[in-house]
Amino acid sequence: MALKMVKGSIDRMFDKNLQDLVRGIRNHKEDEAKYISQCIDEIKQELKQDNIAVKANAVCKLTYLQMLGYDISWAAFNIIEVMSASKFTFKRIGYLAASQCFHEGTDVIMLTTNQIRKDLSSPSQYDTGVALTGLSCFVTPDLARDLANDIMTLMSHTKPYIRKKAVLIMYKVFLKYPESLRPAFPRLKEKLEDPDPGVQSAAVNVICELARRNPKNYLSLAPLFFKLMTSSTNNWVLIKIIKLFGALTPLEPRLGKKLIEPLTNLIHSTSAMSLLYECVNTVIAVLISLSSGMPNHSASIQLCVQKLRILIEDSDQNLKYLGLLAMSKILRTHPKSVQAHKDLVLQCLDDKDESIRLRALDLLYGMVSKKNLMEIVKKLMTHVDKAEGTTYRDELLTKIIDICSQSNYQHITNFEWYISILVELTRLEGTRHGHLIAAQMLDVAIRVKAIRRFAVAQMSALLDSAHLVASSPQRSGICEVLYAAAWICGEFSEHLQEPQQTLEAMLRPKVTTLPGHIQAVYVQNVVKLYAAILQQKEQAADVSAAQEVTQLLVERLPQFVQSADLEVQERASCILQLVKHVQKLQAKDVPVAEEVSALFAGELNPVAPKAQKKVPVPEGLDLDAWINEPLSDSESEDEKPKAMFQDEEQRHAKPRAPEADEQELARRREARRQEQANNPFYIKSSPSPQKRYQDAPGVEHIPVVQIDLSVPLKVPAGMPLSDQYVKLEEERRHRQRLEKDKRKKKKRERERRGTRRHSSLHTESDEDIAPAQRVDIVTEEMPENALPSDEDDKDPNDPYRALDIDLDKPLADSEKLPVQKHRNAETSKSPEKEDVPLMEKKSKKPKKKEKKHKEKEREKKKKVEKGEDLDFWLSTTPPAATPAPEELEVNTTVTVLKTGQEEPRGEEQDADEDREQDLEKKPSKHKKKKHKKDKEERPKDKRKSKKKVPPTDEEAAEPVENGTLDEEPLPPMSSYTLLAENSYIKMTYDVQGSLQKDSQVTVSVVLENQSDSFLKSMELNVLDSLNARLARPEGSSVHDGVPVPFQLPPGISNEAQFVFTIQSIVMAQKLKGTLSFIAKNDEGSTHEKLDFKLHFTCTSYLVTTPCYSDAFAKLLESGDLSMSSIKVDGISMSFHNLLAKICFHHRFSVVERVDSCASMYSRSIQGHHVCLLVKKGEKSVSVDGKCSDPTLLSNLLEEMKETLATC
Amino acid sequence: MIKAILIFNNHGKPRLSKFYQPYSEDTQQQIIRETFHLVSKRDENVCNFLEGGLLIGGSDNKLIYRHYATLYFVFCVDSSESELGILDLIQVFVETLDKCFENVCELDLIFHVDKVHNILAEMVMGGMVLETNMNEIVTQIDAQNKLEKSELIVYTGLFCISQDFSQAGLAGAPARAVSAVKNMNLPEIPRNINIGDISIKVPNLPSFK
């Protein structure tokens, strides 16, 4: 043994350590690979030794080699050996190597579980620390599952050093093992308020990371974060929290309102640029989320823009970059405020830093207006000339085109200028964006009629100039513009000054070097030109000239016939034959021009891509009706083979005779059309849009705006045109302005008074500038009687479209019924659109929940508690924000009760209570004045927040108004039932549970003052039973009542909520109670009371939970459910209404409905599944139920029987 | 989240690579090369942010880097990190290196990449910022070094007793001591990257505490 050790250390003496290895590599620069492979061999030897120090040294070297790109996964086992060394020095080396090269696919990783667990519980904090660090890099789902609990305990370790690492690593654990999130979350949340700032920061970090992915689940933490934000001084933490708020505000605008003020304060006070920047960013996010709801926040926007300007003006490039980045976010919603800083942005265009220039370009896009477009583009053009790199130049080019063409050329006042800009851009060598320029040219020439003459002139010049053809077409994309040029010249050849010259230019031999598709366009448009020239010559009776042109074509076209490009070849040979034919006719002195131009007769009108869809179906046309009686299937099937057979026979007989006899062809065509019409797999042919367009009555007379141009069409000589246009345009505008002024003056003279403001203000606003030419797009593109619709703006591939489901009535009913807004924070806050995924989530949840039900009980409670806190917290927005008064009241009641019912929650709670008190004063102050108004506004407010929920909510809140809303076919229903009534007061109530609180139900009692007295000091008391207890404020005995948090003036009603704790929910029960109050009127005040019996039906423990049919089927199959059924006779109500009634009164949701049979689902607050199969017979309804608790089921069915009996 | 932390020199030689997402060794090398290519062609006086490359890119990711003398420190982060915050973090990182290595230079990083990793591990863990307070980081590093030293003294002591080859202990001795004992014949001595000397414009930020 001793000998072995000695031997080991002799070997070690000659070992290289890491430094030797590095040095060696540096000394073997020329044969590095060889040297390293030699070293790896040595390392392999070292790894075989027993001495852990040697092994650790070897692993350390391997880690270095890994950085150089060598795969070291073969040593994974040795790495684990080193990890398990008892010495920290070696352990650290092992963990480092593991963190660098282990990943989920490493098979030996499962061997580490126990070692890591041992290290995690090691007495040395550094062993634990190093294990946590390592684990954070290579945690796998298995490791996460096995170690989650150990790590969770470490979150409460005594040493902050371990705590913060444990907290951070939880994020990785959550990622790999999502099931751990729920159990670990409460502890994680605790750590937000850890005394150690490092731990706190780690917790914030983790929650921010979590919340970034699913913000809506973390909305309930907003108050806590808000508190941290206002109290923390750690900039890292602040930045994270502020970023988090930026993600939360879009989900909850009320949060935004609350944030504005503290954020603004921070912006003013902080000296840290990073913090300032994030504040500004979040304020922007808030403003965006509020932009629809709030009238203006101009002060905040101004502040942001102003601060950003400071950033942009800073000499630090980083701040400049970030400033521009944030500016572009503001631009989207508040372009006006950014436009004021155009100078700054333009200045940034000159910056030497490309990233900054690109950002500035982005900004420019939103800053242009009619007034400054030319100026900006001019500036950009100079940049194009200066730009050295092609990428930046291409970027500039696309931006110029983007800027000019945005929103239908909205900002272009002079299209001649634009065309000349495009022409100037063609002089860019080597750009990739030739096709972009070409597309613009085509678009403008087609859509702006007034510009065609000018465009044609420019295009013919382009065709004529050699430079485009000369530049090697393979490399540069700029020759694409010739495609457009050729087409424009051909199509609008009537505007050409010198058609012959253009024709010759297009027939030059060099053209054949162009790409095929361009040549094809050349060939086609040569004929158009030819037709135009023929016409011209024949009118002038210049026969010889006409023949000359024909001759030219006959000579030149063969060069295209030889083209390798199919399209070119085909067109060229066709046309060549045609021209030869024309030549023959010409020789006989036959006038041909008419016929040749007939080839291209008709004007091409631009049609919007969606025009077809918008053509309304004429009255009396039923597109679904058969035109002819459908043939039977067998017939059409027979026909097919026959036709084929005939076809073939013909081919055999006359292989090359396409002109089979006309009648036969027509017959066959007809037959085929018939068959296609009957075949569902055939896409029915519909008249092409163009045809439709022409057929539609009156389309021919669509007004085409004719404009007399105030700018000369003749192009001034000297090339850089666009500049001259700028000048011309300025003159034009000046003229316009003068005219306008003149007009104004006249007006003023007439009026003399009042208009002084207008005239003295001489700023030229955007709207004042009338464009020189107009884009006829909007008037021209659509058929006259097109239906206005925004439907087609939706992208059919938009993933959210799938959520746009037309919810069937019964389901819809169930959806809107149950959970009232203020009780279930989760559902109420998610934006409408997300209703569906939420449902999905829920429907999947039950099983999981069931399993962990017990252990999570506490946590759930807390969560919801928080949720309500949030609502409350949010509703305490400063009065300026005017939250809905109704909400305020309701929330008060909730929280007041809660303080009674829940265990103390420390300081935070105190703070809440303070706020509560504040709050309570507020509404009561306003109440008297506002009450009437409230009542009217309430429905509206509620609607706003929960649009899909028409009747129930309203009626629930206001039973008085029952039946006022009758648009729906369903009879009005109210779940509020009478509790008790006397001459003073009427009480109606409803019981609701929520899935999050498994042993609590909330009883909402609407108290309506029916007397002339003022009711106050109301107090509700209930005689608790063993099974049900009223949650009372802390410190009060079971005999004390719970005060109602409001007073009732005469004729007013209001809702109060009381929470009851329920043990068992399988049986219905009744509780006796009393409401005591003081009635005060002119004669004095009396003490009154009203007894009542609260009835907790089993139904009231159900919570409407949507369920998908597959989950439903699984549930039924599981066999855990006991069954029971009822049958009710004498039912006259329609099945639809019946289902709605069950949904409403018994809180079920429809899973599936087939004819007169429906399956329904609901869940109790304690997680019992209740499944129903409802069948409607002639005059009866049978309900089969399955439920995890038989007693509950039979009670439920009894209750249902009663309901159904009234149907 | 921080996706990766790379340190390479002016020639693109990696001095430290830490990926918080698994990549194969080949991809890692490609990412280093690509990042170097992106970063090295930028002028000195331009901003420190750029959109990520193709490999580690994605619209959400950004490269945030600082250039100190011969070394580039590059952090690849997603949008949940504050740009200026990360710039500060790099500064803290370099200052910490400077404290731990006493006037850090590229050579320190070349020969003691394991130590650099250990320091980094105290600042960033699994892609999330763990600690930004330099004093705290240094304290923890020192404590760990002390622990290591005490272990090695025992360890080497054992060997010295058991064998007369007293030199054997050398290999296990603290690496820094070794490099001090052995005379290094290095072809080039790079410039010191003494933080104090470098006039990098740091935005007006208080250090994060």
Side-chain angles (χ1 to χ4, degrees), chain A residues 19 53 67 88-89 92 100 126 161 164 172 236 243 318 353, chain B residues 17 29 47-48 78-79 111 122 126 131-132 140 144 151 155 208:
Chain A
Q19 284 73 36
M67 183 180 78
F88 170 72
T89 318
R92 183 154 80 165
Q100 290 296 85
Y126 291 114
Y161 178 74
K164 71 181 178 195
K172 294 278 176 169
W236 270 100
K243 266 187 173 277
N318 291 327
D353 188 349
Chain B
S17 67
Q29 293 303 310
C47 68
N48 297 94
D78 68 15
S79 63
F111 286 104
E122 294 301 322
E131 185 59 68
T132 50
Q140 298 299 347
Q144 289 176 45
E151 281 180 356
Y155 191 79
F208 290 98

mmCIF file of all heavy atoms in Angstrom, chain A residues 19 53 67 88-89 92 100 126 161 164 172 236 243 318 353, chain B residues 17 29 47-48 78-79 111 122 126 131-132 140 144 151 155 208:
data_model
loop_
_atom_site.group_PDB
_atom_site.id
_atom_site.type_symbol
_atom_site.label_atom_id
_atom_site.label_comp_id
_atom_site.label_asym_id
_atom_site.label_seq_id
_atom_site.Cartn_x
_atom_site.Cartn_y
_atom_site.Cartn_z
ATOM 1 N N GLN A 19 -1.331 25.009 -15.475
ATOM 2 C CA GLN A 19 -0.437 26.043 -15.991
ATOM 3 C C GLN A 19 0.565 25.458 -16.983
ATOM 4 O O GLN A 19 0.855 26.068 -18.007
ATOM 5 C CB GLN A 19 0.315 26.727 -14.828
ATOM 6 C CG GLN A 19 -0.530 27.713 -14.038
ATOM 7 C CD GLN A 19 -1.539 26.996 -13.158
ATOM 8 O OE1 GLN A 19 -1.267 25.926 -12.612
ATOM 9 N NE2 GLN A 19 -2.731 27.584 -13.048
ATOM 10 N N ALA A 53 -6.089 13.523 -6.064
ATOM 11 C CA ALA A 53 -5.462 14.785 -6.458
ATOM 12 C C ALA A 53 -5.045 14.731 -7.920
ATOM 13 O O ALA A 53 -5.193 15.708 -8.668
ATOM 14 C CB ALA A 53 -4.249 15.048 -5.577
ATOM 15 N N MET A 67 -12.867 24.305 -23.165
ATOM 16 C CA MET A 67 -13.044 25.681 -23.627
ATOM 17 C C MET A 67 -12.467 25.858 -25.032
ATOM 18 O O MET A 67 -12.964 26.660 -25.816
ATOM 19 C CB MET A 67 -12.375 26.645 -22.653
ATOM 20 C CG MET A 67 -12.563 28.090 -23.007
ATOM 21 S SD MET A 67 -11.751 29.169 -21.845
ATOM 22 C CE MET A 67 -10.062 29.054 -22.375
ATOM 23 N N PHE A 88 -12.849 20.099 -0.482
ATOM 24 C CA PHE A 88 -13.518 21.164 -1.212
ATOM 25 C C PHE A 88 -12.774 21.526 -2.489
ATOM 26 O O PHE A 88 -13.365 21.735 -3.551
ATOM 27 C CB PHE A 88 -13.649 22.392 -0.296
ATOM 28 C CG PHE A 88 -14.111 23.629 -1.003
ATOM 29 C CD1 PHE A 88 -15.431 23.741 -1.428
ATOM 30 C CD2 PHE A 88 -13.234 24.678 -1.261
ATOM 31 C CE1 PHE A 88 -15.865 24.877 -2.081
ATOM 32 C CE2 PHE A 88 -13.666 25.809 -1.921
ATOM 33 C CZ PHE A 88 -14.980 25.910 -2.328
ATOM 34 N N THR A 89 -11.440 21.570 -2.387
ATOM 35 C CA THR A 89 -10.614 21.938 -3.544
ATOM 36 C C THR A 89 -10.938 21.072 -4.748
ATOM 37 O O THR A 89 -11.122 21.579 -5.855
ATOM 38 C CB THR A 89 -9.122 21.734 -3.194
ATOM 39 O OG1 THR A 89 -8.912 22.216 -1.876
ATOM 40 C CG2 THR A 89 -8.236 22.430 -4.176
ATOM 41 N N ARG A 92 -14.690 21.238 -5.990
ATOM 42 C CA ARG A 92 -14.959 22.424 -6.796
ATOM 43 C C ARG A 92 -14.523 22.191 -8.242
ATOM 44 O O ARG A 92 -15.214 22.555 -9.178
ATOM 45 C CB ARG A 92 -14.238 23.622 -6.184
ATOM 46 C CG ARG A 92 -14.526 24.902 -6.903
ATOM 47 C CD ARG A 92 -14.365 26.094 -6.004
ATOM 48 N NE ARG A 92 -12.969 26.469 -5.849
ATOM 49 C CZ ARG A 92 -12.601 27.646 -5.340
ATOM 50 N NH1 ARG A 92 -13.499 28.519 -4.930
ATOM 51 N NH2 ARG A 92 -11.327 27.941 -5.221
ATOM 52 N N GLN A 100 -19.526 22.616 -16.962
ATOM 53 C CA GLN A 100 -19.132 23.003 -18.313
ATOM 54 C C GLN A 100 -19.537 21.967 -19.353
ATOM 55 O O GLN A 100 -19.735 22.311 -20.502
ATOM 56 C CB GLN A 100 -17.617 23.228 -18.395
ATOM 57 C CG GLN A 100 -17.102 24.445 -17.671
ATOM 58 C CD GLN A 100 -17.617 25.746 -18.251
ATOM 59 O OE1 GLN A 100 -18.690 26.196 -17.911
ATOM 60 N NE2 GLN A 100 -16.839 26.351 -19.137
ATOM 61 N N TYR A 126 -19.655 26.024 1.880
ATOM 62 C CA TYR A 126 -19.068 26.130 0.540
ATOM 63 C C TYR A 126 -19.266 24.842 -0.248
ATOM 64 O O TYR A 126 -19.399 24.887 -1.470
ATOM 65 C CB TYR A 126 -17.602 26.539 0.628
ATOM 66 C CG TYR A 126 -17.487 27.953 1.115
ATOM 67 C CD1 TYR A 126 -16.922 28.267 2.345
ATOM 68 C CD2 TYR A 126 -18.021 28.988 0.355
ATOM 69 C CE1 TYR A 126 -16.872 29.568 2.804
ATOM 70 C CE2 TYR A 126 -17.980 30.293 0.799
ATOM 71 C CZ TYR A 126 -17.404 30.590 2.027
ATOM 72 O OH TYR A 126 -17.381 31.870 2.463
ATOM 73 N N TYR A 161 -25.841 33.196 2.312
ATOM 74 C CA TYR A 161 -25.072 32.751 1.147
ATOM 75 C C TYR A 161 -25.742 31.553 0.490
ATOM 76 O O TYR A 161 -25.850 31.469 -0.734
ATOM 77 C CB TYR A 161 -23.654 32.394 1.613
ATOM 78 C CG TYR A 161 -22.740 31.873 0.520
ATOM 79 C CD1 TYR A 161 -22.210 32.751 -0.427
ATOM 80 C CD2 TYR A 161 -22.407 30.527 0.445
ATOM 81 C CE1 TYR A 161 -21.373 32.275 -1.421
ATOM 82 C CE2 TYR A 161 -21.569 30.049 -0.536
ATOM 83 C CZ TYR A 161 -21.043 30.927 -1.473
ATOM 84 O OH TYR A 161 -20.219 30.469 -2.458
ATOM 85 N N LYS A 164 -29.563 32.476 -0.832
ATOM 86 C CA LYS A 164 -29.734 33.156 -2.112
ATOM 87 C C LYS A 164 -29.454 32.202 -3.274
ATOM 88 O O LYS A 164 -30.110 32.269 -4.305
ATOM 89 C CB LYS A 164 -28.875 34.422 -2.187
ATOM 90 C CG LYS A 164 -27.401 34.212 -2.300
ATOM 91 C CD LYS A 164 -26.682 35.555 -2.338
ATOM 92 C CE LYS A 164 -25.175 35.323 -2.404
ATOM 93 N NZ LYS A 164 -24.408 36.519 -2.107
ATOM 94 N N LYS A 172 -34.456 27.221 -12.025
ATOM 95 C CA LYS A 172 -34.046 26.120 -12.908
ATOM 96 C C LYS A 172 -34.856 24.869 -12.585
ATOM 97 O O LYS A 172 -35.219 24.107 -13.474
ATOM 98 C CB LYS A 172 -32.555 25.828 -12.714
ATOM 99 C CG LYS A 172 -31.669 26.960 -13.168
ATOM 100 C CD LYS A 172 -31.475 26.873 -14.651
ATOM 101 C CE LYS A 172 -30.673 28.061 -15.153
ATOM 102 N NZ LYS A 172 -30.247 27.889 -16.518
ATOM 103 N N TRP A 236 -30.547 47.100 -8.612
ATOM 104 C CA TRP A 236 -30.787 45.853 -9.346
ATOM 105 C C TRP A 236 -32.202 45.380 -9.131
ATOM 106 O O TRP A 236 -32.920 45.033 -10.067
ATOM 107 C CB TRP A 236 -29.831 44.755 -8.872
ATOM 108 C CG TRP A 236 -28.566 44.735 -9.636
ATOM 109 C CD1 TRP A 236 -27.387 45.271 -9.239
ATOM 110 C CD2 TRP A 236 -28.350 44.169 -10.926
ATOM 111 N NE1 TRP A 236 -26.446 45.085 -10.199
ATOM 112 C CE2 TRP A 236 -27.001 44.412 -11.256
ATOM 113 C CE3 TRP A 236 -29.157 43.501 -11.828
ATOM 114 C CZ2 TRP A 236 -26.440 43.987 -12.450
ATOM 115 C CZ3 TRP A 236 -28.602 43.082 -13.026
ATOM 116 C CH2 TRP A 236 -27.265 43.327 -13.333
ATOM 117 N N LYS A 243 -39.134 46.412 -14.516
ATOM 118 C CA LYS A 243 -39.301 45.651 -15.757
ATOM 119 C C LYS A 243 -40.511 44.735 -15.651
ATOM 120 O O LYS A 243 -41.263 44.561 -16.593
ATOM 121 C CB LYS A 243 -38.047 44.808 -16.033
ATOM 122 C CG LYS A 243 -37.053 45.504 -16.944
ATOM 123 C CD LYS A 243 -35.937 44.561 -17.301
ATOM 124 C CE LYS A 243 -35.008 45.130 -18.344
ATOM 125 N NZ LYS A 243 -35.436 44.989 -19.699
ATOM 126 N N ASN A 318 -23.989 54.531 -25.681
ATOM 127 C CA ASN A 318 -24.935 53.558 -25.142
ATOM 128 C C ASN A 318 -26.256 54.218 -24.799
ATOM 129 O O ASN A 318 -27.322 53.702 -25.103
ATOM 130 C CB ASN A 318 -24.355 52.902 -23.892
ATOM 131 C CG ASN A 318 -23.186 52.018 -24.229
ATOM 132 O OD1 ASN A 318 -23.164 51.429 -25.292
ATOM 133 N ND2 ASN A 318 -22.211 51.972 -23.345
ATOM 134 N N ASP A 353 -21.773 55.629 -35.564
ATOM 135 C CA ASP A 353 -22.123 54.287 -35.099
ATOM 136 C C ASP A 353 -23.315 53.755 -35.890
ATOM 137 O O ASP A 353 -24.392 54.337 -35.902
ATOM 138 C CB ASP A 353 -22.491 54.380 -33.613
ATOM 139 C CG ASP A 353 -22.673 53.010 -32.988
ATOM 140 O OD1 ASP A 353 -22.724 52.037 -33.756
ATOM 141 O OD2 ASP A 353 -22.742 52.938 -31.757
ATOM 142 N N SER B 17 -15.260 30.703 -21.393
ATOM 143 C CA SER B 17 -16.577 30.597 -22.010
ATOM 144 C C SER B 17 -17.499 29.932 -21.029
ATOM 145 O O SER B 17 -17.167 28.911 -20.427
ATOM 146 C CB SER B 17 -16.501 29.793 -23.304
ATOM 147 O OG SER B 17 -16.174 28.454 -23.027
ATOM 148 N N GLN B 29 -17.761 26.755 -30.114
ATOM 149 C CA GLN B 29 -16.640 27.402 -30.810
ATOM 150 C C GLN B 29 -17.153 28.327 -31.898
ATOM 151 O O GLN B 29 -16.641 29.424 -32.081
ATOM 152 C CB GLN B 29 -15.709 26.343 -31.402
ATOM 153 C CG GLN B 29 -14.974 25.523 -30.366
ATOM 154 C CD GLN B 29 -14.150 26.370 -29.414
ATOM 155 O OE1 GLN B 29 -13.374 27.214 -29.853
ATOM 156 N NE2 GLN B 29 -14.336 26.176 -28.118
ATOM 157 N N CYS B 47 -21.580 52.233 -29.503
ATOM 158 C CA CYS B 47 -22.275 51.738 -28.329
ATOM 159 C C CYS B 47 -21.923 50.277 -28.083
ATOM 160 O O CYS B 47 -21.427 49.577 -28.959
ATOM 161 C CB CYS B 47 -23.778 51.928 -28.461
ATOM 162 S SG CYS B 47 -24.530 50.908 -29.707
ATOM 163 N N ASN B 48 -22.204 49.847 -26.877
ATOM 164 C CA ASN B 48 -21.763 48.520 -26.454
ATOM 165 C C ASN B 48 -22.814 47.438 -26.642
ATOM 166 O O ASN B 48 -22.702 46.364 -26.085
ATOM 167 C CB ASN B 48 -21.357 48.559 -24.979
ATOM 168 C CG ASN B 48 -20.200 49.475 -24.748
ATOM 169 O OD1 ASN B 48 -20.386 50.642 -24.423
ATOM 170 N ND2 ASN B 48 -19.008 48.985 -24.954
ATOM 171 N N ASP B 78 -30.966 38.117 -22.661
ATOM 172 C CA ASP B 78 -32.277 38.334 -23.286
ATOM 173 C C ASP B 78 -32.903 39.609 -22.729
ATOM 174 O O ASP B 78 -32.287 40.333 -21.948
ATOM 175 C CB ASP B 78 -33.176 37.110 -23.123
ATOM 176 C CG ASP B 78 -33.589 36.876 -21.683
ATOM 177 O OD1 ASP B 78 -33.413 37.803 -20.870
ATOM 178 O OD2 ASP B 78 -34.055 35.782 -21.377
ATOM 179 N N SER B 79 -34.133 39.853 -23.134
ATOM 180 C CA SER B 79 -34.704 41.173 -22.854
ATOM 181 C C SER B 79 -35.055 41.383 -21.388
ATOM 182 O O SER B 79 -35.434 42.479 -21.012
ATOM 183 C CB SER B 79 -35.946 41.388 -23.703
ATOM 184 O OG SER B 79 -36.927 40.437 -23.351
ATOM 185 N N PHE B 111 -3.843 31.644 -17.452
ATOM 186 C CA PHE B 111 -3.328 30.553 -16.630
ATOM 187 C C PHE B 111 -4.271 30.131 -15.513
ATOM 188 O O PHE B 111 -4.106 29.068 -14.940
ATOM 189 C CB PHE B 111 -1.961 30.924 -16.054
ATOM 190 C CG PHE B 111 -0.879 30.877 -17.085
ATOM 191 C CD1 PHE B 111 -0.361 32.041 -17.634
ATOM 192 C CD2 PHE B 111 -0.399 29.650 -17.541
ATOM 193 C CE1 PHE B 111 0.616 31.987 -18.596
ATOM 194 C CE2 PHE B 111 0.584 29.602 -18.514
ATOM 195 C CZ PHE B 111 1.092 30.771 -19.043
ATOM 196 N N GLU B 122 -19.622 33.233 -8.318
ATOM 197 C CA GLU B 122 -20.155 33.993 -7.193
ATOM 198 C C GLU B 122 -21.015 35.164 -7.647
ATOM 199 O O GLU B 122 -21.680 35.805 -6.850
ATOM 200 C CB GLU B 122 -19.016 34.503 -6.295
ATOM 201 C CG GLU B 122 -18.258 33.396 -5.592
ATOM 202 C CD GLU B 122 -19.154 32.541 -4.700
ATOM 203 O OE1 GLU B 122 -20.065 33.086 -4.056
ATOM 204 O OE2 GLU B 122 -18.942 31.310 -4.666
ATOM 205 N N GLY B 126 -26.268 29.998 -12.984
ATOM 206 C CA GLY B 126 -27.269 29.453 -13.901
ATOM 207 C C GLY B 126 -27.913 30.495 -14.788
ATOM 208 O O GLY B 126 -29.071 30.358 -15.159
ATOM 209 N N GLU B 131 -25.008 37.985 -7.319
ATOM 210 C CA GLU B 131 -24.493 38.986 -6.375
ATOM 211 C C GLU B 131 -23.845 40.106 -7.175
ATOM 212 O O GLU B 131 -23.143 39.850 -8.149
ATOM 213 C CB GLU B 131 -23.461 38.327 -5.444
ATOM 214 C CG GLU B 131 -22.934 39.215 -4.362
ATOM 215 C CD GLU B 131 -24.029 39.731 -3.444
ATOM 216 O OE1 GLU B 131 -24.613 38.944 -2.697
ATOM 217 O OE2 GLU B 131 -24.310 40.958 -3.496
ATOM 218 N N THR B 132 -24.095 41.319 -6.764
ATOM 219 C CA THR B 132 -23.503 42.439 -7.491
ATOM 220 C C THR B 132 -22.621 43.285 -6.590
ATOM 221 O O THR B 132 -21.992 44.231 -7.042
ATOM 222 C CB THR B 132 -24.621 43.333 -8.065
ATOM 223 O OG1 THR B 132 -25.532 43.633 -7.014
ATOM 224 C CG2 THR B 132 -25.334 42.629 -9.180
ATOM 225 N N GLN B 140 -16.388 36.163 -0.141
ATOM 226 C CA GLN B 140 -16.661 34.741 -0.349
ATOM 227 C C GLN B 140 -15.500 34.044 -1.050
ATOM 228 O O GLN B 140 -15.114 32.932 -0.691
ATOM 229 C CB GLN B 140 -17.946 34.549 -1.172
ATOM 230 C CG GLN B 140 -19.203 35.089 -0.523
ATOM 231 C CD GLN B 140 -19.520 34.417 0.800
ATOM 232 O OE1 GLN B 140 -18.961 33.381 1.146
ATOM 233 N NE2 GLN B 140 -20.400 35.041 1.585
ATOM 234 N N GLN B 144 -13.180 31.007 0.454
ATOM 235 C CA GLN B 144 -13.010 29.720 -0.219
ATOM 236 C C GLN B 144 -11.538 29.422 -0.476
ATOM 237 O O GLN B 144 -11.085 28.295 -0.362
ATOM 238 C CB GLN B 144 -13.792 29.700 -1.533
ATOM 239 C CG GLN B 144 -15.293 29.637 -1.297
ATOM 240 C CD GLN B 144 -16.100 29.708 -2.578
ATOM 241 O OE1 GLN B 144 -15.780 29.045 -3.546
ATOM 242 N NE2 GLN B 144 -17.121 30.531 -2.568
ATOM 243 N N GLU B 151 -6.815 23.060 3.266
ATOM 244 C CA GLU B 151 -6.887 21.665 2.838
ATOM 245 C C GLU B 151 -5.566 21.234 2.211
ATOM 246 O O GLU B 151 -5.063 20.151 2.451
ATOM 247 C CB GLU B 151 -7.991 21.483 1.801
ATOM 248 C CG GLU B 151 -9.377 21.419 2.413
ATOM 249 C CD GLU B 151 -10.447 21.241 1.349
ATOM 250 O OE1 GLU B 151 -10.100 21.252 0.150
ATOM 251 O OE2 GLU B 151 -11.600 21.105 1.720
ATOM 252 N N TYR B 155 -2.830 18.447 3.043
ATOM 253 C CA TYR B 155 -2.601 17.445 2.020
ATOM 254 C C TYR B 155 -1.126 17.327 1.659
ATOM 255 O O TYR B 155 -0.524 16.273 1.707
ATOM 256 C CB TYR B 155 -3.409 17.834 0.788
ATOM 257 C CG TYR B 155 -3.460 16.748 -0.242
ATOM 258 C CD1 TYR B 155 -4.335 15.672 -0.084
ATOM 259 C CD2 TYR B 155 -2.641 16.788 -1.358
ATOM 260 C CE1 TYR B 155 -4.384 14.680 -1.017
ATOM 261 C CE2 TYR B 155 -2.688 15.791 -2.302
ATOM 262 C CZ TYR B 155 -3.566 14.734 -2.125
ATOM 263 O OH TYR B 155 -3.620 13.752 -3.048
ATOM 264 N N PHE B 208 -23.972 49.084 -7.952
ATOM 265 C CA PHE B 208 -25.134 48.397 -7.389
ATOM 266 C C PHE B 208 -24.802 47.819 -6.041
ATOM 267 O O PHE B 208 -23.816 47.127 -5.894
ATOM 268 C CB PHE B 208 -25.550 47.272 -8.325
ATOM 269 C CG PHE B 208 -26.135 47.798 -9.583
ATOM 270 C CD1 PHE B 208 -25.385 47.902 -10.717
ATOM 271 C CD2 PHE B 208 -27.439 48.212 -9.608
ATOM 272 C CE1 PHE B 208 -25.921 48.391 -11.863
ATOM 273 C CE2 PHE B 208 -27.982 48.694 -10.754
ATOM 274 C CZ PHE B 208 -27.218 48.792 -11.884
#
